[in-house]
């Protein structure tokens, strides 16, 4: 589990959002929220109530008919008080994590006649002021909000009846075809989403990532998984140093090691060549490599290179998983790869110790050097564990765990199984998508389009879930991989500075190969759709389906896709978006 974000901001600016307005020395109820009184600049709260009072009074004194400081009362809401108390603050307004716009208290002022009571709301926070404003405050966001009604009124059948629209809502890159015509979106929606991307400076942010800027501000790190698959002559800097030669240094080492291993020159403690690999890791040190391995297993070329070999994964500490991972394997012919970015993850270290014991009890302590190798950014701990540092393969803290499949995390075990050249093809494919993502206009940029549609579905239409339904069995482990990748990345409740976000940021990803899903949870999608109101359905159950249309030409997938299209037809009748 990622560590919870620590809210570091305290509300430092309050404004008056609504209340009573004083006119002609008499008090009138104001039906509408009143415009802020311009207090933000001087209401530099929250160090103490006296400061709050002083500043407030100075500003309100401007012709509002106030009697003066006497009698001013400010009152925090009880919930806020309780929260602040639990957090150990003496001042209620120092409670953390309050949403912008949230009412946190009220102030009462004596006027010449009567009094004026005003609601106080947080309009900003220290950290938010220092960084960017929230995207939901932009005109572009509001434009999309205003557009929801029109889309909800339009039946998906009508959207699908518009041939021009359907043709327009597609994109293609190197054989990957994205058809998003079944989304509840029109050209107008997409136009608004592109404007939102502009408002979010998406283009600039993508550039910053590729440039090696430290966009991971919480850890002050670059985010450079793209460097892992960049061509040898690329230049990508982190801290002013080109990281590409270092990346290729590790890849060359993997290539050499895997050739020695696969040729039988690397022998175990009893002199036998090793043919079995157990990769021990969890989270990003497991799911990506498992996904790619499952996909390559039945690829004819890759399968040929894997003949007579086994690659298994061990993630769970459940003894059943341990037993399965080594069932029918002989330690004599087995290599254990311990994969952990930190080399401290409890589950991985426990499993690594268990398999170390398995090797030692059968072959003796000296066997560890020949039967255990490691992938980590923490080579010190690798050594302390007892693995020869020469047999450790490095990666870097600028690779997020969930993006690490293209580092030694994936490249090493996959190269041991399939040979480095096969894995290099996978890396080239990933690099090609990087170019597409960096250089294509957003209108034709598949990752950007999928991201924007996700924002539209989750943050605007309120669909909480996304089904991932590959119709190719080879992509069986795609959904679990994306579950981590997407939900660990986007499942955030707070802004980068710890301020709570007033909108949903990520969907629940789930999925299975589509054909199997049809005989399982599609049932709910279909039945619930018929028996419940559209609103309940759209809110609670279903967001969108990503169908990976691979192997289009082959007969069996053709049949599967026809079945999928039929289901789409049924669902469309009830106005579900895909
Ligand atoms: O590779 P490790 O350091 O062992 O970490 C394994 C996993 O640990 C945590 O769950 C993180 O949230 C994941 O992102 C990471 O992939």
């Amino acid at each position: 589990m990622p560590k919870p974000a620590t809210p570091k901001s305290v509300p430092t600016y309050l404004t008056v959002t609504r209340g009573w307005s004083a006119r002609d020395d008499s008090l009138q109820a104001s039906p509408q929220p009143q415009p802020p009184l311009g207090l933000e600049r001087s209401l530099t709260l929250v160090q103490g109530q006296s400061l709050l009072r002083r500043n407030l009074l100075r500003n309100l004194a401007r012709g509002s008919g106030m009697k003066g400081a006497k009698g001013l009362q400010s009152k925090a809401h009880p919930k806020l008080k309780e929260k602040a108390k639990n957090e150990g603050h003496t001042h209620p307004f120092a409670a953390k994590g309050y949403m912008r716009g949230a009412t946190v208290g009220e102030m009462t002022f004596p006027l010449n006649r009567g009094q004026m009571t005003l609601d106080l709301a947080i309009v900003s926070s220290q950290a938010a002021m220092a960084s960017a404003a929230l995207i939901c405050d932009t005109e572009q966001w509001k434009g999309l909000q205003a557009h929801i009604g029109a889309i909800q009124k339009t039946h998906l059948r009508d959207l699908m009846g518009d041939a021009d629209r359907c043709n327009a809502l597609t994109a293609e890159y190197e054989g990957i075809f994205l058809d998003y015509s079944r989304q509840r979106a029109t050209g107008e929606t997409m136009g608004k989403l592109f404007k939102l991307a502009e408002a979010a400076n998406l283009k600039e942010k993508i550039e910053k990532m590729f440039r090696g800027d430290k966009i991971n501000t919480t850890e002050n790190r670059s985010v450079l998984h793209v460097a892992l698959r960049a061509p040898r002559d690329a230049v990508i800097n982190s801290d002013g140093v080109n990281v590409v030669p270092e990346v290729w240094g590790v890849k060359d080492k993997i290539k050499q090691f895997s050739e020695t291993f696969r040729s039988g020159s690397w022998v175990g403690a009893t002199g036998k060549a090793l043919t079995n690999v157990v990769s021990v890791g969890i989270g990003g040190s497991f799911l990506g490599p498992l996904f790619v391995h499952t996909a390559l297993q039945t690829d004819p070329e890759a399968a040929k290179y894997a003949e007579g070999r086994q690659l298994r994964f061990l993630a769970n500490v459940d003894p059943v998983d341990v037993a399965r991972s080594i069932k029918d394997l002989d330690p004599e012919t087995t290599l254990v790869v311990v994969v952990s970015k930190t080399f401290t993850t409890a589950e991985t270290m426990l499993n690594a110790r268990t398999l170390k014991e398995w090797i030692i009890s059968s072959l003796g302590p000296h066997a560890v050097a020949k039967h255990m190798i490691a992938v980590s950014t923490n080579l010190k701990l690798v050594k302390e564990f007892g693995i020869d540092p020469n047999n450790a393969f490095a990666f870097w803290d600028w690779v997020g765990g969930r993006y690490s499949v293209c580092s030694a995390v994936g490249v090493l075990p996959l190269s041991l199984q399939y040979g480095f050249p096969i894995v290099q093809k996978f890396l080239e494919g990933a690099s090609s998508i990087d170019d597409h993502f960096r250089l294509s206009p957003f209108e034709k940029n598949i990752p950007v389009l999928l991201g924007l549609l996700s924002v539209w579905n989750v943050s605007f239409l309120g669909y909480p879930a996304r089904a991932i339904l590959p119709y190719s069995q080879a992509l069986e482990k795609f959904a679990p991989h994306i579950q981590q990748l997407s939900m660990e990345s986007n499942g955030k409740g707070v802004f980068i500075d710890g301020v709570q976000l007033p909108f949903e940021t990520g969907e629940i990803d789930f999925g299975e190969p589509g054909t199997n899903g049809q005989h399982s949870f599609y049932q709910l999608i279909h039945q619930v759709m018929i028996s419940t109101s559209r609103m309940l359905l759209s809110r609670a159950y279903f967001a969108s389906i990503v169908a990976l249309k691979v192997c289009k030409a082959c007969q069996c997938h053709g049949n599967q896709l026809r079945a999928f299209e039929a289901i789409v037809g049924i669902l469309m009748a009830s106005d579900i978006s895909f």
Side-chain angles (χ1 to χ4, degrees), residues 1-2 282-285 339-343 345 348 401-402 484 488:
M1 285 289 294
I282 201 163
S285 295
V339 184
S340 175
K341 179 174 168 177
T342 53
F343 227 71
T345 305
T348 299
R402 56 198 181 274
Q484 188 205 14
E488 202 172 63

